[in-house]
Amino acid sequence: QMVYRRARVGVRSRDAYLSGAAHPSVFRARDIALARMVGLANAIKPDEVPPMVQLKVLEESEAEEGVDYFGEGLSEVLFDTPSAIARVWRSRAGRRSMVVTAADTQDPNGRALRFDWVRLRGDPEGVRITPLTPDGRYAHIEMDWQDPLPAPGSPDILSHRVDIGVFANNGIHDSAPAFISILLPSHERRVYEPGPEGGLRIA
């Protein structure tokens, strides 16, 4: 995954790799750079192979069915795996937060790791990521409800999702991303205003 994404057409720098344009929902065949992929794969030495990021949610905003949203038997949790965490924003709350850790990530060669948490999709003003440790193994994520925006690199696709990528760097190579994704239901339109206690409430 790292080799495929890092060597795609248009992904010529680390900054480009740590951006939404390098990690679309759907990959187009014309963006495959086969020679670059082979070259990158051959350039990675056995003791330089990056790890697979392992994610875990430690804290998050919780919503109660029948109080914060309606839908018997529904949950905001879609799934939790080591490489992907997915939620559906059903709650009426205008702001939500999570504390997520990548502390279980281990480099296969014992190299020290640092982590980058990157907003890949969503309103840049409505997503705030704060690393909680110097190496970035823990992060606090705060999001505001937001209107859909064009998907990075695909202006014809309107995205109703916030995507955050988590990358581990072993000093030589970045890993493939792990993802935190929050879907904002496309059949809803909400308008929020400041609440009496400084939060957001539906107007």
Side-chain angles (χ1 to χ4, degrees), residues 97-120:
S97 63
M98 307 174 77
V99 176
V100 183
T101 180
D104 290 340
T105 307
Q106 299 295 324
D107 186 76
N109 295 288
R111 292 178 179 271
L113 299 174
R114 72 174 192 274
F115 296 83
D116 290 279
W117 302 69
V118 182
R119 178 194 56 80
L120 300 176

Side-chain angles (χ1 to χ4, degrees), residues 1-8 33-50 172-174:
Q1 282 295 315
M2 182 277 279
V3 167
Y4 176 70
R5 295 165 186 265
R6 183 65 177 84
R8 291 176 61 243
L34 189 57
R36 288 184 59 210
M37 288 176 60
V38 172
L40 176 57
N42 286 334
I44 300 174
K45 299 176 182 178
D47 65 346
E48 298 174 354
V49 174
I172 302 174
H173 297 291
D174 290 299

Side-chain angles (χ1 to χ4, degrees), residues 115-153:
F115 296 83
D116 290 279
W117 302 69
V118 182
R119 178 194 56 80
L120 300 176
R121 184 178 302 197
D123 182 358
E125 298 297 324
V127 180
R128 295 167 292 279
I129 304 171
T130 306
L132 299 178
T133 55
D135 61 2
R137 285 185 178 268
Y138 297 81
H140 178 265
I141 302 165
E142 187 177 64
M143 292 160 283
D144 297 333
W145 177 274
Q146 49 199 263
D147 293 328
L149 292 171

Side-chain angles (χ1 to χ4, degrees), residues 3-203:
V3 167
Y4 176 70
R5 295 165 186 265
R6 183 65 177 84
R8 291 176 61 243
V9 171
V11 184
R12 290 285 185 174
S13 66
R14 184 170 189 263
D15 285 345
Y17 181 62
L18 301 182
S19 74
H23 309 285
S25 301
V26 178
F27 292 91
R28 299 172 296 198
R30 65 175 181 269
D31 290 336
I32 296 173
L34 189 57
R36 288 184 59 210
M37 288 176 60
V38 172
L40 176 57
N42 286 334
I44 300 174
K45 299 176 182 178
D47 65 346
E48 298 174 354
V49 174
M52 185 179 82
V53 176
Q54 306 279 308
L55 295 181
K56 185 182 297 180
V57 177
L58 298 181
E59 300 174 14
E60 64 181 312
S61 302
E62 295 185 2
E64 183 179 351
E65 190 278 322
V67 177
D68 298 302
Y69 65 93
F70 298 100
E72 186 176 358
L74 295 178
S75 170
E76 290 197 311
V77 177
L78 276 184
F79 56 79
D80 287 85
T81 73
S83 295
I85 294 166
R87 301 290 185 264
V88 179
W89 195 322
R90 305 186 195 279
S91 169
R92 61 187 171 83
R95 182 169 292 154
R96 64 190 302 146
S97 63
M98 307 174 77
V99 176
V100 183
T101 180
D104 290 340
T105 307
Q106 299 295 324
D107 186 76
N109 295 288
R111 292 178 179 271
L113 299 174
R114 72 174 192 274
F115 296 83
D116 290 279
W117 302 69
V118 182
R119 178 194 56 80
L120 300 176
R121 184 178 302 197
D123 182 358
E125 298 297 324
V127 180
R128 295 167 292 279
I129 304 171
T130 306
L132 299 178
T133 55
D135 61 2
R137 285 185 178 268
Y138 297 81
H140 178 265
I141 302 165
E142 187 177 64
M143 292 160 283
D144 297 333
W145 177 274
Q146 49 199 263
D147 293 328
L149 292 171
S154 301
D156 56 320
I157 298 176
L158 199 60
S159 175
H160 295 262
R161 211 170 68 213
V162 173
D163 280 350
I164 295 167
V166 186
F167 303 81
N169 183 283
N170 63 5
I172 302 174
H173 297 291
D174 290 299
S175 69
F179 295 101
I180 302 165
S181 298
I182 295 87
L183 176 68
L184 295 87
S186 60
H187 62 281
E188 296 183 10
R189 182 173 183 271
R190 306 184 187 183
V191 177
Y192 286 90
E193 65 181 16
E197 298 179 1
L200 297 175
R201 67 180 180 184
I202 292 178

